[in-house]
Amino acid sequence: MTQQTRIGLFGTGRIGQVHAMSVAAIDDAELAWVCDPFVEGAERTAAEYGGRVSTDPAEVFASGEVDAVIIAAPTATHVDLIDAAIDAGVPVLCEKPIDLDLARVDRLREKAAAATVPIVLGFNRRFDRHFAELHRRVTAGEIGTLEQLLITSRDPAEPPAAYLAASGGIFRDMTIHDLDMARFFVPEIVEVTARGANTFSASAREFGDFDSAVVTLRGANDELVAITNSRHASYGYDQRFEVFGSEGLLQVGNQTDTLVRHWGAGAVESLEPYQNFFLQRYAEAYRLEVVEFLKAVRGEPSRSPGFEDGRAALVLADAADRSARTGASVAVDLSR
């Protein structure tokens, strides 16, 4: 019988619930501890998915009863929890971003580099099977030399004002996923140009944020990446990808629940609505993200993005924000 990997979960909000469901769906993993300062949330999660309950991360690390931890707590806690996991010698999967402040990330950088346990960042879209297959085929040379990458990412509706107020802005909260996906295909980004707009969200405007953005990245070999973001899309969760190269083009379109098409007097080839939320679109990717993390925990080869990937995405997000506010392109050196 395969030994169960005992996982501690920090944070039981929406993304914490996603990770709890993912762990429950994996045969060789179990939720051993659930930790949240709001004990009611921890108790509800433990009642549904198992595990002991705590409000104190130190108790979880001191228990000796976790083989790995997942950090799904608020962003402001991430650096301290990663630091504690390194000290305890416990592998960690942390949701993005590492922090909203690059200076805090950099203070942990040397320690993270020297850590003897895996530190994995929660960029789940790398594990979406459609995007992963796209990456495999690009890497295999199917379209020759990569020249252009187009990423479209629009949410179905803007989040609540309270969320926007604490999000760190569209580039650090939303675009950061697309920036990591850009680096998945074009690792060496050297320049960022961004434009932001306020077309519909009074809340975003109030908080000095944007509700829409377009980002252009330039790679070290002059590859061009275009990212289009919006906080709303009337037709559902808009997630599309296109890679163009010297020998052809590959695309991933939006997802519907079925592939049934309808022809009638009012429309031809009409489809069901696109999936309307990230939990639908990326449920499988979240589970596969944890599966890949467990490979790293067991010392097996793993495709999981690490601390430096998380830092690079934040560097690019900061550069995009600066570019959007100044109107100037921003040179970046991700190796520094």
Side-chain angles (χ1 to χ4, degrees):
M1 181 176 178
T2 304
Q3 184 175 355
Q4 297 286 95
T5 300
R6 303 168 299 175
I7 295 177
L9 175 65
F10 297 115
T12 58
R14 185 173 65 181
I15 198 64
Q17 295 300 308
V18 172
H19 286 300
M21 287 187 286
S22 295
V23 172
I26 299 171
D27 290 339
D28 58 352
E30 63 178 353
L31 206 55
W33 280 86
V34 182
C35 184
D36 197 311
F38 300 100
V39 69
E40 295 84 0
E43 288 173 343
R44 285 195 298 269
T45 302
E48 184 166 1
Y49 300 106
R52 298 176 63 182
V53 171
S54 178
T55 59
D56 183 6
E59 181 181 13
V60 176
F61 287 119
S63 71
E65 298 171 354
V66 290
D67 303 306
V69 295
I70 297 175
I71 299 173
T75 299
T77 68
H78 290 183
V79 166
D80 290 340
L81 288 172
I82 294 172
D83 194 21
I86 295 171
D87 287 343
V90 176
V92 55
L93 164 59
C94 180
E95 268 302 315
K96 65 81 194 170
I98 301 173
D99 196 83
L100 296 177
D101 182 355
L102 183 62
R104 289 199 74 211
V105 174
D106 282 347
R107 284 196 288 272
L108 186 61
R109 190 181 186 189
E110 185 176 347
K111 184 172 183 176
T116 58
V117 293
I119 303 170
V120 168
L121 261 291
F123 289 118
N124 65 292
R125 293 182 192 179
R126 293 189 182 211
F127 302 102
D128 173 79
R129 59 192 173 97
H130 309 287
F131 295 155
E133 174 65 6
L134 188 72
H135 184 266
R136 184 193 68 77
R137 292 170 69 169
V138 170
T139 302
E142 186 169 324
I143 59 167
T145 302
L146 189 155
E147 297 175 1
Q148 297 175 346
L149 178 62
L150 281 68
I151 303 173
T152 300
S153 180
R154 299 185 179 104
D155 286 344
E158 66 173 311
Y163 178 92
L164 288 176
S167 69
I170 192 171
F171 297 111
R172 298 180 187 89
D173 171 58
M174 183 179 180
T175 316
I176 197 166
H177 274 294
D178 305 309
L179 294 168
D180 179 70
M181 286 302 291
R183 286 197 62 251
F184 192 34
F185 287 82
V186 184
E188 296 182 60
I189 303 296
V190 298
E191 184 181 74
V192 180
T193 307
R195 296 294 180 266
N198 294 100
T199 60
F200 61 88
S201 173
S203 295
R205 188 185 299 274
E206 177 186 351
F207 300 129
D209 193 12
F210 306 109
D211 56 41
S212 308
V214 175
V215 180
T216 302
L217 310 173
R218 185 166 60 88
N221 297 311
D222 267 356
E223 309 98 323
L224 292 176
V225 181
I227 299 169
T228 302
N229 290 145
S230 176
R231 288 288 195 183
H232 75 173
S234 62
Y235 49 86
Y237 194 35
D238 190 1
Q239 300 284 287
R240 288 174 281 144
F241 222 97
E242 178 177 296
V243 191
F244 172 80
S246 58
E247 303 298 328
L249 178 146
L250 290 166
Q251 287 183 332
V252 174
N254 278 315
Q255 304 299 302
T256 58
D257 287 336
T258 76
L259 295 178
V260 175
R261 293 174 182 262
H262 172 257
W263 281 256
V268 297
E269 294 193 73
S270 62
L271 291 164
E272 293 183 1
Y274 296 135
Q275 293 174 335
N276 198 50
F277 201 40
F278 77 96
L279 297 183
Q280 290 174 278
R281 175 62 179 83
Y282 290 118
E284 181 187 41
Y286 277 108
R287 181 183 62 81
L288 294 175
E289 172 185 63
V290 176
V291 169
E292 201 68 21
F293 171 53
L294 294 179
K295 293 180 182 178
V297 171
R298 294 191 294 262
E300 300 171 6
S302 171
R303 297 178 292 119
S304 295
F307 187 92
E308 286 298 309
D309 294 302
R311 180 186 182 276
L314 184 59
V315 168
L316 295 176
D318 284 354
D321 187 75
R322 186 158 67 253
S323 175
R325 296 183 189 283
T326 65
S329 298
V330 177
V332 294
D333 183 351
L334 300 179
S335 66
R336 296 178 58 185

